[in-house]
Amino acid sequence: MAPTSAPQTPFGRVLTAMVTPFTAEGALDLDAAQRLAAHLVDAGNEGLVVNGTTGESPTTSDTEKAQLVRAVVEAVGDRAFVIAGAGTNDTAHSIELAREAAAAGAHGLLLVTPYYSKPPQEGLYRHTVAVADATELPVMLYDIPGRTAVALETETIVRLAEHPRIIANKDAKADLGAASWVMARTDLAYYCGDDILNLPMLSIGAAGFVSVVGHVVAPELRALVDAYLSGDIAKAREIHLRLLPVYTGIFRTQGVILSKAALAAQGLITGTLRLPLVEATDEQMAVLRQDLAAGGVEL
């Protein structure tokens, strides 16, 4: 039997937090970004998040961010959602990035919880509302306390859900209980932001995923969602278990590093990163090949 009520999916079900391609010299490579975006959508992604952490947003300029949004929208915006990361720990800067993303054609915004500053919940609330008020774009929250040091508490998320343009949450908190309470009390669409929890998050009502491993296994993620929603839980679980080596492999070190390494091995982009991130070592690449092969992906 299928789940009794499928959750709303304002941005589709399978999205990938896209890496930002650079040339071998470290410059933004818009041609490669367009090719990669097309490849990811062809593979089954219904949406792409650009200028997120996986897109190395801390080391790209505001101008580069706007250029990247514009290029990806031009490449796939007629057949996939393009969500632009606009979150920083500076509210005024986040508002500026949100407006620039809107002008570049983004379909929505991803707002990470302000990092490092460790603001109180009222500060998180006011920051997020101020950015959401700055454009007409729908907003996906991004709750990832492992990176930001501060989580969005349940009551804060419930308050934010009252805003007409705050419609989704990318949850990377790994707290299924907290997520369940928010889903019980709001209409927010929940997207799993921690790949190994994709299936468990579906089981409590998530709309889909904002994935990193979607760079290499988007068809499998699509099959997992389809199996779960059709009521074939056994098949969904089988896919989940088969993908465990992929989930583990991509995150043996910082996820951007090994995502780019895998894509470079497939000939899609260079593996170039900007410091402080560094390219995968030969040893890391050898282990990655083994991990992905165990999950059915040959490089």
Side-chain angles (χ1 to χ4, degrees), residues 11-255:
F11 300 116
R13 294 196 183 279
V14 179
L15 298 86
T16 287
M18 195 179 96
V19 300
T20 299
F22 301 127
T23 67
E25 295 72 34
L28 181 64
D29 191 338
L30 294 176
D31 289 339
Q34 291 189 318
R35 291 193 301 271
L36 177 60
H39 167 80
L40 292 174
V41 174
D42 290 344
N45 283 288
E46 299 162 273
L48 300 173
V49 174
V50 299
N51 296 329
T53 309
T54 307
E56 295 177 75
S57 58
T59 54
T60 56
S61 69
D62 291 4
T63 298
E64 289 174 324
K65 288 178 172 66
Q67 290 174 333
L68 184 61
V69 171
R70 193 169 289 109
V72 173
V73 169
E74 180 181 293
V76 299
D78 59 340
R79 57 195 184 104
F81 295 98
V82 179
I83 314 302
T88 72
N89 62 349
D90 174 351
T91 304
H93 188 200
S94 296
I95 288 171
E96 182 179 352
L97 289 176
R99 289 172 174 164
E100 289 174 354
H107 302 133
L109 300 173
L110 180 74
L111 298 185
V112 71
T113 306
Y115 41 81
Y116 189 78
S117 303
K118 298 183 74 172
Q121 293 297 306
E122 183 64 22
L124 299 180
Y125 174 81
R126 294 187 193 182
H127 165 91
T128 306
V129 168
V131 182
D133 282 343
T135 79
E136 295 301 315
L137 293 178
V139 170
M140 179 187 292
L141 306 173
Y142 184 13
D143 191 9
I144 182 166
R147 288 184 182 270
T148 65
V150 177
L152 285 169
E153 294 178 0
T154 296
E155 294 303 323
T156 304
I157 301 174
V158 171
R159 287 178 70 196
L160 289 170
E162 297 174 359
H163 193 288
R165 284 187 293 281
I166 297 174
I167 63 172
N169 184 26
K170 177 184 175 184
D171 185 287
K173 192 155 54 181
D175 186 338
L176 299 180
S180 297
W181 272 113
V182 175
M183 284 187 263
R185 296 175 60 191
T186 75
D187 292 325
L188 285 179
Y190 256 65
Y191 287 84
C192 183
D194 189 351
D195 274 306
I196 204 164
L197 295 180
N198 283 339
L199 180 57
M201 284 289 289
L202 286 179
S203 75
I204 61 169
F209 324 131
V210 177
S211 175
V212 175
V213 303
H215 284 104
V216 292
V217 290
E220 289 79 2
L221 295 180
R222 179 77 254 176
L224 191 160
V225 171
D226 290 345
Y228 180 81
L229 291 176
S230 70
D232 192 345
I233 309 304
K235 181 178 179 181
R237 180 176 180 273
E238 185 273 325
I239 296 169
H240 167 72
L241 295 179
R242 178 160 29 96
L243 289 177
L244 288 177
V246 180
Y247 296 153
T248 298
I250 289 291
F251 293 103
R252 284 191 185 276
T253 185
Q254 213 274 358

